[in-house]
Amino acid sequence: MSDRIFAAIWLALCGIGLVIGWGIHSEYSYEPLGPRPFPIAIISLMALCALLLLFKKTEKTHWPTPQVLRRLLLLIVSLVFYAGTFEWLGFPLATTLLTISIALLFNASLLAAMISGVSLGISLFFVFDRLLDVTLPIGSLFR
């Protein structure tokens, strides 16, 4: 029953998202389709998944152990921290910290987590900012 309740709430939120996504307009044309199709496509896929979840055959629910729930909570806290500090810390540092925290949640050693965090933070910034011309914040902390 909890799956169906979640799917119904998710489907309602997808409906609201589709209404909001349909209202997206741009003052200037920077691509042939405009900014509307991507959010509508993603939300439509989420709505399809919610429908599949709503009408699937019911099975016995197996809840995660308290250790897994604790890790999931820490992951949510890490993502909220990332979203909240993204502009202030900048993409490279915020992504480095997020990568380190996720690696530690998956039982990586501290050294491996730090190496992967620093390399991903710097390399992703270079790829997006320099190669793909996606403007990312350096961080108001460093200005």
Side-chain angles (χ1 to χ4, degrees):
M1 190 63 179
S2 61
D3 287 350
R4 288 199 168 91
I5 292 170
F6 173 74
I9 292 170
W10 188 10
L11 195 57
L13 290 173
C14 286
I16 293 168
L18 283 172
V19 170
I20 293 170
W22 192 259
I24 295 175
H25 296 285
S26 178
E27 297 296 324
Y28 55 92
S29 179
Y30 54 90
E31 58 184 52
L33 297 176
R36 187 186 301 172
F38 182 73
I40 288 177
I42 295 297
I43 294 171
S44 297
L45 286 174
M46 289 191 323
L48 176 66
C49 291
L51 284 172
L52 291 173
L53 189 59
L54 190 62
F55 294 115
K56 78 171 187 149
K57 181 182 169 191
T58 58
E59 299 172 3
K60 185 176 179 186
T61 304
H62 299 283
W63 292 98
T65 63
Q67 180 184 9
V68 172
L69 289 174
R70 192 174 321 113
R71 285 185 176 186
L72 287 172
L73 180 64
L74 288 172
L75 178 62
I76 291 169
V77 168
S78 297
L79 291 170
V80 168
F81 177 79
Y82 181 72
T85 61
F86 184 77
E87 288 186 29
W88 182 65
L89 291 178
F91 180 84
L93 183 57
T95 302
T96 298
L97 294 175
L98 177 70
T99 305
I100 289 171
S101 68
I102 290 175
L104 291 174
L105 285 174
F106 281 93
N107 294 326
S109 67
L110 183 60
L111 180 63
M114 291 179 72
I115 290 171
S116 64
V118 169
S119 63
L120 271 175
I122 293 170
S123 64
L124 286 176
F125 179 77
F126 176 76
V127 167
F128 281 105
D129 196 60
R130 303 291 185 242
L131 297 178
L132 298 175
D133 278 336
V134 175
T135 305
L136 294 172
I138 285 288
S140 59
L141 178 66
F142 300 109
R143 286 190 182 158

